[in-house]
Amino acid sequence: MIDKINAKCILAILFTGFCFPSFSQSQWTYDFNNGLNPIESAGPPLKVLGQPGKYVKEKIPGSDDLSRTIYQFEKNSGLQFNNVEAKGFLNKSFTVEIYFKMDELDSWKRVLDFKNRKSDYGSYIYDGKLNFYDFAIGEKAPVRANQYVHYVYSRDFETKIIKMYINGQSKLEFKDPGTEGMLDNDQVLNLFQDDLIANHESSAGSIVLIRVYDRVMTPVFVRRSYQTISRAPKAPVADKEEEQPEEKPVVKEPAKRNSNLAVVTGRVYDGKNLKPVNDADVTVRKSSTDSLVASTKTVNGIYNFELRPHETYRISAQADGFQPKSVSVKVSNRFEEVKSLISLSESTYDTPLSTLYFTQSTDVLEDDALSGLDSLVSYFLKKENLRIILKGHTDNTGDFAKNLELSNKRVETVKSYLLGKGIPENRIMGSGYGSAQPNRTNQTEALKRSNRRVEIWAEPIKR
């Protein structure tokens, strides 16, 4: 039997890696033997996110006598490192090291959140890959449900290079396009709890160790740290499957997926309170041709589309009480999953609700325009306190007077369609402006097309 003093020494070596006295003020280590306080003195305690977790004594595999304390957390819960209390510890270059396991890995699972739940950007594990949404995704890594994994994230303040490791091996490296991989003004680092925008991407799990450094750790140090933690006594829940080659993980393919298509999963939410917007109309158009590809309605704010790869699409959302909004989404590969977020603002009626485009020299509504009009009709039939203002335009090809006449004809075409759908005539006003108010310059045919349009505006009816 190992006495208590020796046992404590062994555990300290096992979970703190290497004994370098100079590190005492440049790292904080949490092994949960002292609750949420670090093993270093006078350090900032971690804070609970969501439901409080449980402290559980777990036997260390390979040892008859040693055990360790782990922190078990519920789904959409986790822990938080407060950088203010740590006096700006993570403000420049830093590294985060975690030894943990997740109960579920069937979809996107949050690991690190740098924006205190206000953004969907951050560090995830998806399909066994390390992912920083939505800028980079790494190669397959040996991350499996209910098996402990050594995870390291670092960001260099000078170069903006972000590196991510699994079990001592580098799996993802890219340059931060801005400050997405840094803490925002709230100055907190959240672990495992998902954001308020797409808040279903989390898992319950267990944590053995959290360690944060105020510098970038070298690949050699990361590898040695993993080896120290994983060698005998071995990492918990390790078995023969853990030692299989990384190229042969067992992965369940999504059911009934068309392998020639990519999946775009999105969320429409209220930008003011971050709540999902239900029953919003969502449409997808090809950016190159503006042709309608698909449409649906949100369920609890969520929408899903299967789209052809190697295309850029414009996804538009429209809902009662909100201004319509569009976002651009590029689908690069087959069988890829892309996440798209649309934040809606309250209606102020200072921009067009929709814009309908026309072919050169015609006033005929195209099929794509009709589908967009039908969703607007439903909106205006419900909003009886609004009138419709139609503004017709042309490009600069041809005679100005004829263009003015054509723009008015386009307005009349749209008005006739709205009248036929039950909108009262006294709620529709409109005028043509010819080529006098271009939306874009008329330098190319593509730019000219954006000027051949009728804008649909809303205006409150004063009583």
Side-chain angles (χ1 to χ4, degrees):
M1 178 65 69
I2 302 175
D3 62 52
K4 291 183 179 180
I5 295 177
N6 288 335
K8 288 182 179 179
C9 291
I10 292 173
L11 283 174
I13 294 172
L14 182 62
F15 296 124
T16 60
F18 311 100
C19 297
F20 299 133
S22 61
F23 283 4
S24 60
Q25 294 182 356
S26 57
Q27 71 180 45
W28 299 114
T29 306
Y30 302 86
D31 65 359
F32 308 106
N33 286 307
N34 191 27
L36 298 180
N37 293 302
I39 64 174
E40 298 88 359
S41 61
L46 298 174
K47 299 184 185 301
V48 172
L49 296 175
Q51 297 296 320
K54 297 179 180 178
Y55 300 100
V56 177
K57 284 290 185 180
E58 180 179 75
K59 181 182 176 182
I60 300 176
S63 170
D64 294 330
D65 304 299
L66 293 177
S67 64
R68 61 188 172 198
T69 302
I70 65 171
Y71 181 84
Q72 292 183 344
F73 57 93
E74 299 296 323
K75 188 172 184 177
N76 209 20
S77 298
L79 295 171
Q80 180 185 90
F81 180 86
N82 190 309
N83 197 43
V84 175
E85 294 181 4
K87 299 180 180 179
F89 190 78
L90 302 180
N91 279 355
K92 291 192 174 182
S93 296
F94 65 90
T95 300
V96 181
E97 179 182 14
I98 323 172
Y99 196 55
F100 70 96
K101 67 179 179 180
M102 288 185 175
D103 295 355
E104 302 173 2
L105 282 174
D106 55 333
S107 62
W108 300 84
K109 300 304 177 188
R110 169 76 79 172
V111 181
L112 300 176
D113 170 19
F114 302 94
K115 310 302 180 186
N116 198 20
R117 310 193 74 190
K118 302 187 294 296
S119 170
D120 202 31
Y121 295 147
S123 170
Y124 295 84
I125 293 174
Y126 173 67
D127 190 28
K129 303 182 182 75
L130 298 187
N131 175 270
F132 193 100
Y133 180 75
D134 62 346
F135 302 110
I137 187 165
E139 61 181 281
K140 187 76 72 174
V143 184
R144 303 181 181 92
N146 293 305
Q147 293 188 1
Y148 281 102
V149 64
H150 180 256
Y151 177 99
V152 175
Y153 172 102
S154 70
R155 185 185 188 279
D156 189 292
F157 182 75
E158 299 298 332
T159 65
K160 293 189 176 182
I161 296 298
I162 291 174
K163 294 184 179 181
M164 300 164 73
Y165 302 79
I166 285 292
N167 292 349
Q169 298 296 316
S170 176
K171 293 297 180 181
L172 183 59
E173 179 175 338
F174 66 101
K175 186 173 183 179
D176 192 343
T179 57
E180 300 304 333
M182 294 187 66
L183 304 184
D184 65 4
N185 291 336
D186 287 349
Q187 287 291 289
V188 293
L189 174 67
N190 293 344
L191 294 87
F192 303 111
Q193 185 181 38
D194 199 19
D195 53 80
L196 294 170
I197 299 170
N199 56 11
H200 59 287
E201 296 167 343
S202 63
S203 170
S206 302
I207 314 171
V208 175
L209 171 76
I210 297 173
R211 187 190 288 117
V212 292
Y213 306 86
D214 65 351
R215 62 200 181 283
V216 172
M217 307 313 298
T218 67
V220 172
F221 183 94
V222 172
R223 184 165 59 251
R224 291 176 62 193
S225 182
Y226 165 64
Q227 292 170 350
T228 300
I229 293 175
S230 61
R231 66 176 175 240
K234 294 181 179 179
V237 199
D239 54 25
K240 292 183 180 180
E241 182 182 15
E242 183 70 20
E243 299 173 0
Q244 291 178 356
E246 294 180 14
E247 299 77 33
K248 299 180 181 179
V250 178
V251 179
K252 293 183 179 179
E253 298 291 348
K256 297 181 180 180
R257 276 282 302 275
N258 186 335
S259 60
N260 292 319
L261 301 178
V263 170
V264 175
T265 300
R267 187 177 183 87
V268 180
Y269 64 98
D270 186 336
K272 186 176 182 179
N273 56 28
L274 304 182
K275 292 182 178 180
V277 178
N278 192 35
D279 208 32
D281 292 305
V282 183
T283 59
V284 181
R285 294 178 179 274
K286 280 187 180 180
S287 296
S288 58
T289 63
D290 200 48
S291 57
L292 182 67
V293 175
S295 62
T296 188
K297 285 184 176 289
T298 58
V299 177
N300 294 324
I302 302 296
Y303 62 86
N304 295 278
F305 294 107
E306 288 191 351
L307 302 175
R308 293 188 180 280
H310 313 298
E311 290 276 1
T312 300
Y313 298 92
R314 189 176 76 254
I315 301 180
S316 302
Q318 178 177 296
D320 289 351
F322 296 94
Q323 298 183 66
K325 185 174 181 180
S326 299
V327 296
S328 179
V329 170
K330 185 176 182 179
V331 180
S332 301
N333 302 304
R334 295 185 307 156
F335 213 68
E336 176 185 22
E337 182 167 343
V338 181
K339 291 165 55 174
S340 173
L341 304 175
I342 303 179
S343 172
L344 297 184
S345 303
E346 292 182 4
S347 297
T348 58
Y349 311 116
D350 55 358
T351 58
L353 295 184
S354 183
T355 302
L356 312 177
Y357 297 96
F358 291 79
T359 302
Q360 176 72 48
S361 302
T362 73
D363 61 351
V364 178
L365 280 170
E366 300 175 359
D367 291 341
D368 292 343
L370 291 176
S371 62
L373 260 181
D374 287 340
S375 63
L376 275 179
V377 166
S378 176
Y379 174 79
F380 280 111
L381 287 174
K382 294 176 183 177
K383 296 287 188 177
E384 296 182 356
N385 63 324
L386 297 177
R387 67 165 54 93
I388 302 171
I389 309 296
L390 305 176
K391 299 180 181 181
H393 305 273
T394 69
D395 62 29
N396 67 347
T397 304
D399 181 74
F400 179 83
K402 290 183 178 179
N403 282 335
L404 184 61
E405 180 182 358
L406 177 59
S407 66
N408 278 294
K409 286 183 178 180
R410 289 173 174 170
V411 167
E412 288 301 318
T413 297
V414 177
K415 181 178 179 179
S416 296
Y417 187 86
L418 295 174
L419 290 173
K421 291 293 184 176
I423 304 292
E425 185 172 9
N426 62 359
R427 290 181 59 198
I428 306 174
M429 301 175 64
S431 182
Y433 299 89
S435 59
Q437 298 181 6
N439 187 43
R440 307 282 292 277
T441 62
N442 287 288
Q443 294 176 339
T444 66
E445 175 56 31
L447 294 174
K448 285 183 177 182
R449 188 183 187 282
S450 68
N451 293 329
R452 301 192 294 263
R453 69 199 193 278
V454 170
E455 296 175 346
I456 302 176
W457 296 68
E459 180 181 273
I461 299 174
K462 297 180 181 179
R463 302 186 182 279

